[in-house]
Amino acid sequence: MKNLIQILLTTLILNTFSYSQNKVYIDDFGKLLSKKDFGKLKGKGGVKIRLKNKKYGIIPIEYKGTISDALKSKIIHFLELNSNFKIASNDTIIIEYAIDHKCNIVNNINLKKYIKAIKEKEKSALFIMVDNYDEKIKSQIVDSIDLIKNNFFNYINWPLTDTYKCGGTLLIYPNNSFFRIYGEHDPMKILKKV
């Protein structure tokens, strides 16, 4: 009986240790991360979200990646269809994106200064977007097909509290690389990245 209890306790301890080692860490683009990389992103201000089945997600404040020609073409077509602006092949596309009107650049005190600075830059195209239509913000492009949201703000599909349902800035460069900044920030700092 004593041996059986020892075996059960040992098995329980080993199972608990094994369970704790099987955690999965991902960023909101679905990229698997090591625990160390996850910790680094969290240390840089990333938002940690507990997901299902021992999974933990993180929304990095800054994210770099690359998109396909097909996706870029689809984005350009959508933006041109919903604005009176033509995007040249060497333009950097700047999208200021709001989810549920949170983190909307139109509320930023530097908006006019930012728009003026972007207009003075050559080879750039600025678009202000929101994920849902609202009578108060008629001048913004509505992401009616969730093209930008589902490709660059993937965390919106995670179980988030309203505090984290924000947007940010997306830069798409001529070489198909992109840079996303999550949440509210000083838009004037974006100019260094354009």
Side-chain angles (χ1 to χ4, degrees), residues 72-83:
K72 185 175 179 185
S73 179
K74 193 173 181 180
I75 291 166
I76 289 171
H77 177 73
F78 179 80
L79 292 172
E80 288 180 344
L81 191 66
N82 289 284
S83 70

Side-chain angles (χ1 to χ4, degrees), residues 80-190:
E80 288 180 344
L81 191 66
N82 289 284
S83 70
N84 59 357
F85 193 85
K86 293 293 176 205
I87 301 167
S89 61
N90 60 349
D91 280 345
T92 296
I93 301 167
I94 307 160
I95 299 173
E96 295 295 340
Y97 197 86
I99 296 172
D100 292 333
H101 313 299
K102 294 180 181 78
C103 301
N104 198 327
I105 191 151
V106 296
N107 301 324
N108 194 291
I109 59 171
N110 287 327
L111 178 63
K112 288 181 182 176
K113 185 177 169 185
Y114 176 62
I115 290 174
K116 183 180 179 206
I118 294 290
K119 284 181 179 177
E120 290 172 359
K121 282 194 171 286
E122 291 182 20
K123 301 176 186 170
S124 62
L126 173 65
F127 299 91
I128 300 176
M129 295 184 74
V130 67
D131 68 332
N132 293 309
Y133 180 76
D134 188 321
E135 281 289 325
K136 292 181 255 179
I137 52 166
K138 291 178 185 176
S139 63
Q140 294 184 38
I141 295 173
V142 178
D143 189 9
S144 56
I145 58 172
D146 293 337
L147 177 64
I148 304 302
K149 183 167 63 173
N150 286 340
N151 282 290
F152 300 98
F153 296 92
N154 307 316
Y155 55 81
I156 198 64
N157 298 312
W158 287 354
L160 300 171
T161 61
D162 282 346
T163 309
Y164 300 115
K165 290 180 182 176
C166 198
T169 301
L170 173 65
L171 303 174
I172 301 173
Y173 299 102
N175 66 358
N176 290 15
S177 63
F178 72 88
F179 182 71
R180 183 201 70 193
I181 301 173
Y182 164 76
E184 291 182 341
H185 52 275
D186 181 357
M188 297 307 289
K189 292 181 179 176
I190 300 297

